[in-house]
Amino acid sequence: SPDQMYLHQTAYLMADDQDESQVGEKGMADSRSIRILLHYARPFRLQIGFALFLIFTSSILAIYSSKLMGDLLEKGLMVRDLHMSIVYAVSILLLEIGSIYFIWTGRKKLAVAASKVIFNVRKNLFSKLQDLPLQYYDRQPQGRIVTRITHDVEGIEEFFTSSLGNLISATMMTIL
């Protein structure tokens, strides 16, 4: 009934959302959180995918550069072959420059896409804040809403700009 729904909504709004004893009751599962984040990222999936591809490519170049470093030592320096040493050194240098370029470009593109995702998240949050009843604001300590929104959105932004790229790089380093 509408009365029960109103009472449930009122009880929910009156509960202290920072009370640790209620985290399990009101929190959402990590898988659901990821799905929501992916929903916000969907319009920018090509940009994010391309950025992650660049980061992936950077990892491959760095790994191959490390392999060539071993070859430089074994097949160039230890046998005192100057020509092979130069070939390996130049190859390593080019791979490292490529790796740096791809990681820099990938992170830059990921940051741009993340900014667009965060902009949409903020728009939806502010829209939701405008729909909340005035009672909600009456019971919140001064500044808590702004602090929570700012901190939580910064956490999401950190996920997209840093954690996601680090996850791809670390995964590639582990696999290869």
Side-chain angles (χ1 to χ4, degrees):
S1 82
D3 290 336
Q4 287 177 326
M5 187 170 207
Y6 175 77
L7 289 175
H8 177 67
Q9 287 176 340
T10 304
Y12 176 79
L13 291 174
M14 297 309 286
D16 185 358
D17 58 354
Q18 296 211 348
D19 181 6
E20 293 296 322
S21 67
Q22 296 184 13
V23 168
E25 295 175 24
K26 291 182 12 177
M28 78 174 64
D30 290 340
S31 61
R32 183 162 183 243
S33 298
I34 293 293
R35 281 197 310 264
I36 291 170
L37 285 178
L38 291 177
H39 168 74
Y40 279 105
R42 181 172 288 138
F44 312 103
R45 67 182 175 268
L46 293 177
Q47 291 170 307
I48 292 170
F50 182 63
L52 294 176
F53 172 76
L54 292 174
I55 293 169
F56 171 82
T57 303
S58 170
S59 298
I60 290 175
L61 292 177
I63 290 168
Y64 192 64
S65 171
S66 298
K67 184 208 175 302
L68 286 182
M69 185 70 73
D71 291 345
L72 167 66
L73 289 171
E74 290 177 11
K75 299 175 184 173
L77 296 176
M78 290 182 75
V79 296
R80 298 180 191 267
D81 184 347
L82 182 62
H83 175 69
M84 286 307 292
S85 295
I86 291 172
V87 169
Y88 282 119
V90 169
S91 298
I92 291 167
L93 184 63
L94 291 175
L95 286 171
E96 287 297 326
I97 289 170
S99 177
I100 290 168
Y101 174 76
F102 284 130
I103 193 80
W104 180 78
T105 305
R107 295 243 183 219
K108 183 178 174 183
K109 291 190 176 300
L110 192 58
V112 169
S115 295
K116 293 174 183 177
V117 171
I118 296 305
F119 179 72
N120 286 341
V121 169
R122 284 193 172 127
K123 276 193 331 190
N124 285 352
L125 279 171
F126 289 123
S127 174
K128 176 65 177 173
L129 287 174
Q130 291 172 352
D131 291 341
L132 290 173
L134 288 176
Q135 300 164 333
Y136 178 78
Y137 296 102
D138 288 341
R139 70 171 186 83
Q140 296 296 316
Q142 189 174 13
R144 176 189 257 178
I145 297 169
V146 173
T147 301
R148 296 269 329 255
I149 287 176
T150 302
H151 177 72
D152 291 350
V153 171
E154 284 175 358
I156 295 169
E157 189 171 22
E158 177 72 21
F159 167 75
F160 279 109
T161 58
S162 184
S163 300
L164 197 55
N166 289 342
L167 178 65
I168 295 295
S169 292
T171 303
M172 286 313 303
M173 295 289 186
T174 302
I175 292 172
L176 301 175

